[in-house]
Amino acid sequence: MAAGAASYDYIVVGGGSAGCAAAYRLVQDYKAKVLLLEGGGRDTNPLIKIPAGSFKLVFTDKKAINNVQSEPQRQLGGRVVNVAQGTVLGGGSSVNAMFYVRGTPADYDRWGELTDNEYGWNWEGMLAYFRAQEANIKFNNKHHGFDGPIKVSDPTFVVDSSHRFIQAGQALGLPFREDFNGEEKTGVGYCQATMHKGSRWSAADGFIRPLQASTLLTVRTDAAATRVVFESKRAVGVEYVVGGRTETARARCEVLMAAGALQSPKLLMLSGIGPAAQLREHGIQIEVDLPGVGQNLRDHCMTGVAAWSKDTQGYFGEDKGWRMLRNGALHKFLRAGPATSNGGEAQAFVTLGDTAEPDVQIYNVGIMWPGAGVAPTDHGVTLLANLVRPYSIGNLKLKSANPTDNPIINPNFLSDKRDLDTMVKAVRYLRMIMRTRPYADIVKDEVMPGPQVETDAQIADFCKRTVETDYHPMGTCAMGGDGNAMAVVSPDLKVRGLEGLRVIDASVMPDIIGGNTNATVMAIAWRGVDIMMGRIGRQANDPASATVEMERVRAQASAHP
């Protein structure tokens, strides 16, 4: 390592939801000296704070979003699809639609089984961390906390179609669900979001802003990590590029990888950790042969039904002309109006395939979807079906040894016939909702997929032509027990075969969860820090001695100066 390299107790690679959460815990609770590296910029774009701005960020902002095109998907007729991640401080939490959803208890109990029930990766073990990080505006019970750093609120503004969607869902037999984060998820209702008083509340807001006066935390943005530095199989630092210069920082204790399910495996492979044959192809020196790096890519995918609507009850035109000025003023001065909506205030969870738990999440959106193939010239409504329990599994691999190259991604959407069958059923179900009063009262003409698409074969072809990511990649550095040869990290999140290196983001999820991922990512990182610091032992819910904390950290630092 270069002489004079800046030294920290911990280096956290990635300033997204996981990285912000980990940095907060290390500084706030353990008084560690931390460097947080984020490859993107600061979260200064004013659209980030405006909930409705997420649409413009996702579809138009090339600085805050890294859109990576997949390999041509044979099962989708050779199409390529975008798989994106936030590249800004706060990561996905700064650009997403802010849905606060956790999946089901059974999701995490499966995690416990897949990790040999070590370190408590089950529902009870995770629930304590969901509650600890949450400041819910409405709930304070066994499922929710009220005084954590992450604000969670009810919708501030709700369009008429959202009310009608909930009423139509009940007419079809769905129970009204007040809380989608309890024991039961099937149902229809309004969705809470990571918002506060009409504005987005990101991981940067909850975790980093409270520490901005601390001398223990250094945040470097526009600082792209290029590799982990090792000495005798121990991670001792990180090399990164900032302003065109290559710099190196030293970690006295550990390096925490939190760059997300696309970039964390890429950085591991660039550092010599991954499938040996693939690394040799790119001339990368092998630190440890881990065939699971980049495998087990899981992601939710979606398509939908869109129609022109009969009246002006949606969001069309609210971002143009005098309406834009009015809505901007309403948000700035009153934290009210359409700009405070995330665009999807209502949702439903239903079971349409052969799973025991809900496998389709439905979003109601009060606009004509941009992917409908028509110019949004009038008011419209869209129902999106998000396949939250796909059987299809993808992968990613290095394109080259050049750190600026995106990885080659194969999401493999709908490659398992069961997924395609469920998507066909989902399109039919969305149409049922649109044809059920009171939703039917506002629907004029279906545009996507269109009335000419009617048979199962036609709907299947439509799904293949339109399916897209719901921006929830996970699983590419999966954790697992000792008997799992494809596990990249052990249940304590240590990278196998190495010391001083852990992964603490969505890539460690051993199995997909049935819902949006942001809340889970933050809980993984928060919990991972406690595991690293010795507060959680090897057996589920068996806390180790709390005397370790920074005394152990400092002793470890002295042993590896």
Side-chain angles (χ1 to χ4, degrees):
M1 185 173 294
S7 185
Y8 304 85
D9 294 326
Y10 295 90
I11 300 174
V12 180
V13 180
S17 295
C20 290
Y24 175 85
R25 292 300 315 286
L26 287 167
V27 173
Q28 181 77 6
D29 297 338
Y30 293 101
K31 310 307 177 189
K33 184 178 180 182
V34 176
L35 171 64
L36 179 64
L37 294 173
E38 167 54 43
R42 290 273 176 175
D43 54 335
T44 54
N45 186 329
L47 288 175
I48 289 175
K49 295 302 293 181
I50 302 173
S54 63
F55 281 94
K56 287 190 177 292
L57 289 168
V58 169
F59 291 111
T60 65
D61 193 318
K62 297 189 184 332
K63 289 184 178 179
I65 301 284
N66 180 28
N67 280 298
V68 184
Q69 285 200 325
S70 74
E71 289 183 297
Q73 300 291 285
R74 179 180 54 81
Q75 77 283 3
L76 303 182
R79 284 179 60 214
V80 298
V81 295
N82 281 333
V83 182
Q85 280 193 300
T87 52
V88 63
L89 189 64
S93 72
S94 290
V95 297
N96 64 9
M98 294 159 282
F99 285 90
Y100 188 77
V101 180
R102 303 170 179 167
T104 68
D107 290 330
Y108 302 101
D109 288 340
R110 278 192 293 273
W111 285 17
E113 294 170 4
L114 291 168
T115 54
D116 295 340
N117 292 312
E118 291 188 334
Y119 294 98
W121 293 107
N122 53 25
W123 173 241
E124 289 302 318
M126 288 291 287
L127 181 57
Y129 287 82
F130 284 128
R131 294 186 71 248
Q133 71 185 16
E134 182 184 11
N136 200 296
I137 194 173
K138 181 166 65 177
F139 299 118
N140 177 28
N141 53 40
K142 69 176 184 177
H143 295 123
H144 296 279
F146 69 95
D147 60 353
I150 297 300
K151 308 287 187 182
V152 179
S153 300
D154 290 340
T156 303
F157 183 90
V158 181
V159 292
D160 180 57
S161 69
S162 289
H163 300 308
R164 291 173 182 268
F165 168 75
I166 291 171
Q167 292 170 322
Q170 292 177 82
L172 291 173
L174 289 177
F176 178 77
R177 186 69 59 198
E178 185 179 19
D179 181 9
F180 285 101
N181 292 308
E183 300 292 336
E184 300 293 335
K185 190 168 290 299
T186 298
V188 62
Y190 302 99
C191 185
Q192 290 198 306
T194 47
M195 295 167 53
H196 181 57
K197 296 181 178 178
S199 292
R200 177 191 297 273
W201 191 263
S202 70
D205 292 317
F207 297 127
I208 301 304
R209 300 228 191 317
L211 299 177
Q212 53 192 354
S214 174
T215 59
L216 293 174
L217 177 64
T218 300
V219 178
R220 301 208 70 178
T221 53
D222 295 306
T226 55
R227 69 183 182 94
V228 179
V229 180
F230 293 95
E231 292 177 1
S232 302
K233 299 297 182 181
R234 180 178 183 85
V236 296
V238 176
E239 184 181 274
Y240 61 99
V241 175
V242 58
R245 304 184 315 277
T246 298
E247 299 186 11
T248 303
R250 186 177 186 92
R252 288 187 288 264
C253 298
E254 295 197 27
V255 173
L256 306 184
M257 195 65 64
L262 305 185
Q263 298 300 320
S264 282
K266 179 187 120 174
L267 285 167
L268 289 183
M269 289 187 280
L270 288 172
S271 305
I273 306 159
Q278 185 186 150
L279 301 185
R280 291 191 187 99
E281 287 179 13
H282 299 294
I284 297 173
Q285 178 179 329
I286 298 169
E287 292 288 342
V288 59
D289 178 12
L290 286 181
V293 177
Q295 301 302 306
N296 191 47
L297 173 60
R298 311 298 299 273
D299 194 5
H300 299 145
C301 60
M302 63 184 183
T303 189
V305 174
W308 299 121
S309 57
K310 292 178 181 177
D311 54 33
T312 58
Q313 52 74 49
Y315 293 110
F316 173 73
E318 297 292 342
D319 61 342
K320 295 179 175 60
W322 74 269
R323 287 181 179 273
M324 177 184 70
L325 297 176
R326 181 199 64 180
N327 293 332
L330 281 172
H331 180 267
K332 182 174 182 179
F333 296 110
L334 299 177
R335 294 296 187 264
T340 65
S341 172
N342 65 347
E345 312 98 358
Q347 66 175 350
F349 281 89
V350 298
T351 304
L352 300 178
D354 59 359
T355 59
E357 302 152 75
D359 55 4
V360 173
Q361 178 184 22
I362 302 172
Y363 305 115
N364 177 76
V365 186
I367 58 169
M368 174 64 67
W369 191 245
V374 298
T377 56
D378 204 345
H379 292 271
V381 289
T382 303
L383 297 180
L384 295 173
N386 178 30
L387 189 63
V388 294
R389 297 198 183 281
Y391 291 96
S392 303
I393 300 176
N395 59 76
L396 64 81
K397 56 187 177 182
L398 284 180
K399 181 178 181 180
S400 74
N402 185 344
T404 64
D405 284 340
N406 282 314
I408 298 172
I409 298 174
N410 172 29
N412 227 12
F413 294 147
L414 306 185
S415 60
D416 190 300
K417 186 177 183 300
R418 290 171 292 182
D419 293 345
L420 183 58
D421 291 344
T422 301
M423 273 299 203
V424 171
K425 293 176 183 177
V427 170
R428 292 199 180 280
Y429 193 85
L430 299 184
R431 280 175 161 172
M432 282 177 57
I433 296 174
M434 282 200 173
R435 293 167 184 170
T436 300
R437 295 191 64 204
Y439 206 96
D441 296 339
I442 61 171
V443 174
K444 185 163 56 176
D445 298 309
E446 182 183 297
V447 175
M448 182 178 85
Q452 74 282 1
V453 177
E454 186 56 44
T455 68
D456 283 355
Q458 290 171 330
I459 296 175
D461 181 66
F462 160 76
C463 292
K464 292 176 183 178
R465 288 186 284 106
T466 59
V467 68
E468 55 187 301
T469 179
D470 197 28
Y471 308 99
H472 300 152
M474 63 189 94
T476 49
C477 300
M479 60 177 162
D482 292 338
N484 184 352
M486 297 300 288
V488 176
V489 300
S490 49
D492 57 0
L493 305 186
K494 288 182 179 179
V495 176
R496 293 186 180 278
L498 297 166
E499 293 295 327
L501 180 62
R502 300 184 202 237
V503 184
I504 57 165
D505 58 26
S507 57
V508 305
M509 296 184 187
D511 194 16
I512 200 162
I513 63 169
N516 310 70
T517 53
N518 188 54
T520 303
V521 167
M522 293 186 290
I524 287 171
W526 187 296
R527 200 169 191 282
V529 169
D530 274 356
I531 290 173
M532 178 175 67
M533 304 304 273
R535 282 196 168 182
I536 298 177
R538 292 183 64 85
Q539 297 303 314
N541 306 315
D542 176 24
S545 171
T547 61
V548 291
E549 298 195 15
M550 278 312 295
E551 287 79 2
R552 185 184 69 83
V553 172
R554 296 301 182 192
Q556 187 179 25
S558 299
H560 301 279

